[in-house]
């Protein structure tokens, strides 16, 4: 009875919340104040991109980390550290989590690089596709099929230098670093008028045999540590005069995938299953209003695979989402209001107190013009779980100069319910005692509070020059009442593994700030260049907060060039630099060594010193643009690149790719 009354109460409060604050304004394009940038089809097509994680090369305000080269952690726009992987992934307006045990893997999305039309990046908190985005979003837009039936297929493979080959048992032997497996995709599509239907298949191989991780992987695995990922997908659109229906369904399985479980400090082999089904219905109610209804379901299941530690996560997460949204467009205002209900259900053999919880969210987003040159967007959101409430808000004000320049101010204040993270610690508090069963000492997990985030971004957009654009911004982030994980890893020399107790430390706070500079140049029709520089620095906070952010570089610099001297031929190159980082949780491993192979010792360090990364690609289209071949060299300078103290290292690598379009 109390639970039913609480839900009715929040529904009533949410209805009042949506109706209040009516704003009069002049009608305008809804995207006018979205603080975002787009990676275009041309950039994606000409860049040396093979897996979806390679897109991170082109996402400017981001930092990456990886322990194996296949699963990448991301910090976007200074909105979160590597500890909290709460950034969102979308495909054609549908949100997919592909997350288990705190690890999010973009490579397990049911879409291939060749299917992508563009990628939209949002790195300021705001309401986006019915969700208040606190930690950034990557939105992948797929290509809509041309009229008729078409088939698109790609084959790519590669290898890394220092693979010993025939010198394996001679004095000239070198470490067997990695074999860069084979990727195959196939898509059959049909288009007619505004309707389309696409079915796709993805196959990937990956070898967890890198020189720096293979000993600890071998210690837990019975079999050769190779992974096979297979995914199938259906993407369909049906349009009538007043209705657009979009369906997206997919299933993927990563056989013998090595999931890096941070509390354990090592990889655990699993068979990872991800299932998704979603439908989005847009109905034109009148010339001035539209209704959107969305339903989706997702399952993430790291199924047990035989291992020497007999670890079974017993974790099968089911997520159900429903959303209804109304958009109103009048002469004086443009507004979206909506309600979203999310149910998370954990299927496990542990006797947990509550196996599910509801997250109810009411939101409202309004765009209006104050004057012909001044526009504003206001976002408000109210979320509830049980008796807990969280309020989120964002305000973007933009002044449009007559010279095609813009000055934008973005401010946000948001609270975050602990349940919104859907984390291991929430379920541990409910009785999911995996950590205890596998012998990890942990404490401090039984009391959680809402965290608060405050952001400020001031951005100058310059489009006055016809072929040159400039974006310069300063940003500030402030965090309160964070829960951060504290670990101090020790080293086991007998199997080159690491272990640490874990403590959940509450009420952590801190702030960071910095600047961004982005310059895009198309002075010549055959040349495109993009220069980017970012500086961010911790400004203050608790000791643990400062330690956590020391794992993220202070400086990032990149320069990208696309040269197209003739039609159907292009050269691409990118130079990237990250400043050194220090991971305090690994301080105790400094100077420790691991005997890897053939009397070769690997020395570990908590400090990550990266040299400049230089990648190039040559691409050529044949047969009236029906066949494309490309050759890519990664890390051309052949300086080992490392993104994590105990992570994989990357040497000079060669990739080839063939694309067939019929």
């Amino acid at each position: 009875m109390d639970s039913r009354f609480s839900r009715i109460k929040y529904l009533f409060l949410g209805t009042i919340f949506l109706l209040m604050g009516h704003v009069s304004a002049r009608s305008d394009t809804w995207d006018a104040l979205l603080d975002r940038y787009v990676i275009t089809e041309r950039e994606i097509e000409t860049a040396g991109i093979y897996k979806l994680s390679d897109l991170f090369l082109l996402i400017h305000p981001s930092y990456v980390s990886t322990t194996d080269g296949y699963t990448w952690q991301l910090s976007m726009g200074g909105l979160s550290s590597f500890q909290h992987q709460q950034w969102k992934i979308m495909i054609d307006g549908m949100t997919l989590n592909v997350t288990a045990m705190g690890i999010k893997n973009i490579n397990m999305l049911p879409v291939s690089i060749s299917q992508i039309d563009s990628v939209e990046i949002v790195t300021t908190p705001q309401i986006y596709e019915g969700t208040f985005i606190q930690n950034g979003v990557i939105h992948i837009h797929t290509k809509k099929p041309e009229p008729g039936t078409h088939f698109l297929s790609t084959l790519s493979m590669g290898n890394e230098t220092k693979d010993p080959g025939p010198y394996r048992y001679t004095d000239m032997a070198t470490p067997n670093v990695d074999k860069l497996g084979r990727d195959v995709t196939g898509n059959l599509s049909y288009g007619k008028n505004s309707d389309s239907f696409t079915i796709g298949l993805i196959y990937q191989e990956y070898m967890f045999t890198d020189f720096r991780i293979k000993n600890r992987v071998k210690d837990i695995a019975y079999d050769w540590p190779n992974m096979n990922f297979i995914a199938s997908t259906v993407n369909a659109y049906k349009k009538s005069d007043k209705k657009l229906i979009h369906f997206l369904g997919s299933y993927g399985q990563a056989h013998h995938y090595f999931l890096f479980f941070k509390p354990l400090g090592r990889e655990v082999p699993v068979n990872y299953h991800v299932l998704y089904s979603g439908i989005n219905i847009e109905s034109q109610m009148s010339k001035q209003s539209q209704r959107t209804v969305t339903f989706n379901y997702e399952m993430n299941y790291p199924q047990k695979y035989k291992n020497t530690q007999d670890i079974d996560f017993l974790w099968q997460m089911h997520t159900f989402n429903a959303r209804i949204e109304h958009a109103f467009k009048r002469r004086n205002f443009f507004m979206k209001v909506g309600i979203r209900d999310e149910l998370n259900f954990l299927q496990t053999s542990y006797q947990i107190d509550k196996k599910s919880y509801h997250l109810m969210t009411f939101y409202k987003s309004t765009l209006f013009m104050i004057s012909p040159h001044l526009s504003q967007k206001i976002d408000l959101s109210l979320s509830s779980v049980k008796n807990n409430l969280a309020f989120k808000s964002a305000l973007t004000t933009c002044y449009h100069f007559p010279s095609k320049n813009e000055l934008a101010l973005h401010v946000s204040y948001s609270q975050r319910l602990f349940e919104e993270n859907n984390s291991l610690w929430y379920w541990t508090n409910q009785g999911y005692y995996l950590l205890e069963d596998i012998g990890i000492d942990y404490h401090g997990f039984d009391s959680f509070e809402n965290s608060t985030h405050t952001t400020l971004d001031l951005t100058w957009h310059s489009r006055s020059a016809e072929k040159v654009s400039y974006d310069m911004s300063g940003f500030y982030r402030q965090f309160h009442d964070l829960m951060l994980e504290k670990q101090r890893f020790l080293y086991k020399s007998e199997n080159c593994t690491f272990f640490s107790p874990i403590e959940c430390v509450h009420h952590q706070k801190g702030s960071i700030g910095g600047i961004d500079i982005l310059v895009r140049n198309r002075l010549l029709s055959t040349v495109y260049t993009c220069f980017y520089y970012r500086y961010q620095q911790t400004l203050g906070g608790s000791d643990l907060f400062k330690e956590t952010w020391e794992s993220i570089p202070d400086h990032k610099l990149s320069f990208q060039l696309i040269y197209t001297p003739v039609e159907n031929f292009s050269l691409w190159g990118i130079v990237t630099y990250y400043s050194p980082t220090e991971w305090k949780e690994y301080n105790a491993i400094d100077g420790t060594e691991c005997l890897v192979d053939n009397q070769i010792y690997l020395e570990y360090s908590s400090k990550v010193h990266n040299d400049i990364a230089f990648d190039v690609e040559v691409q050529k289209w044949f047969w009236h643009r029906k066949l494309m071949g490309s050759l890519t060299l990664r890390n051309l300078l052949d300086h080992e690149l490392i993104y994590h103290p105990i992570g994989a290292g990357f040497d000079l690598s060669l990739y080839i790719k063939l694309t067939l379009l019929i």
Side-chain angles (χ1 to χ4, degrees), residues 227-255:
M227 180 209 71
N228 300 305
F229 175 66
I230 300 177
S232 58
T233 181
V234 175
N235 198 355
Y237 287 86
K238 176 65 177 177
K239 187 175 183 180
S240 61
D241 291 340
K242 295 185 177 182
K243 185 173 292 186
L244 174 63
I245 301 174
H246 174 213
F247 172 80
L248 177 65
S250 68
Y251 172 73
Q253 178 183 358
H255 176 74

Side-chain angles (χ1 to χ4, degrees), residues 384-534:
S384 69
V385 175
K386 302 177 186 175
N387 295 318
N388 297 326
L389 291 173
F391 176 71
K392 301 177 177 66
S393 61
L395 170 66
T396 303
T397 303
C398 186
Y399 187 83
H400 310 269
F401 293 88
S403 56
K404 296 184 179 180
N405 296 325
E406 296 175 347
L407 181 64
L409 174 65
H410 183 93
V411 182
S412 76
Y413 171 82
S414 58
Q415 301 169 326
R416 187 173 184 87
L417 296 166
F418 186 74
E419 290 85 352
E420 290 184 70
N421 299 329
N422 195 20
S423 68
L424 169 67
W425 301 111
Y426 171 81
W427 295 106
T428 299
N429 195 34
Q430 300 298 320
Y432 177 74
Y433 294 134
L434 170 74
L435 299 182
E436 183 177 317
D437 288 350
I438 61 179
I440 296 177
D441 182 18
Y442 63 98
H443 57 280
F445 72 95
D446 55 350
S447 176
F448 302 107
E449 297 181 3
N450 298 350
S451 60
T452 60
H453 303 194
T454 304
T455 70
L456 173 67
D457 294 80
L458 181 63
T459 305
W460 172 262
H461 304 279
S462 176
R463 305 292 185 270
S464 55
E466 183 179 353
K467 297 183 179 180
V468 182
S469 65
Y470 304 88
D471 295 281
M472 293 172 283
S473 65
F475 62 90
Y476 174 77
R477 313 279 186 255
Q478 186 179 73
F479 307 89
H480 283 279
D481 293 320
L482 291 177
M483 190 283 287
L484 296 176
E485 300 168 10
K486 182 178 181 180
Q487 290 184 275
R488 293 293 183 263
F489 285 97
L490 300 176
Y491 178 61
K492 291 182 180 180
S493 58
E494 60 270 21
N495 54 8
C496 299
T497 59
F498 307 87
F499 68 97
S500 169
I502 186 167
E503 177 184 1
C504 298
V505 184
H506 304 274
H507 306 297
Q508 297 300 291
K509 63 180 181 179
S511 60
I512 67 168
I515 60 170
D516 277 294
I517 300 174
L518 175 64
V519 182
R520 299 184 181 190
N521 188 329
R522 299 181 185 273
L523 289 178
L524 299 176
S525 61
T526 58
V527 178
Y528 165 79
T529 63
C530 178
F531 170 83
Y532 177 76
Y533 172 72
R534 180 181 180 88

Side-chain angles (χ1 to χ4, degrees), residues 605-640:
S605 172
S606 61
K607 298 178 177 63
V608 175
H609 299 278
N610 266 344
D611 290 306
I612 294 174
F614 181 27
D615 302 340
V616 296
E617 180 182 79
V618 180
Q619 181 184 108
K620 181 70 173 73
W621 281 94
F622 304 92
W623 194 20
H624 305 290
R625 292 187 67 87
K626 293 183 178 180
L627 177 66
M628 186 268 285
S630 65
L631 183 147
T632 304
L633 292 173
R634 287 276 177 83
N635 190 12
L636 190 61
L637 302 179
D638 201 19
H639 298 154
E640 186 179 45

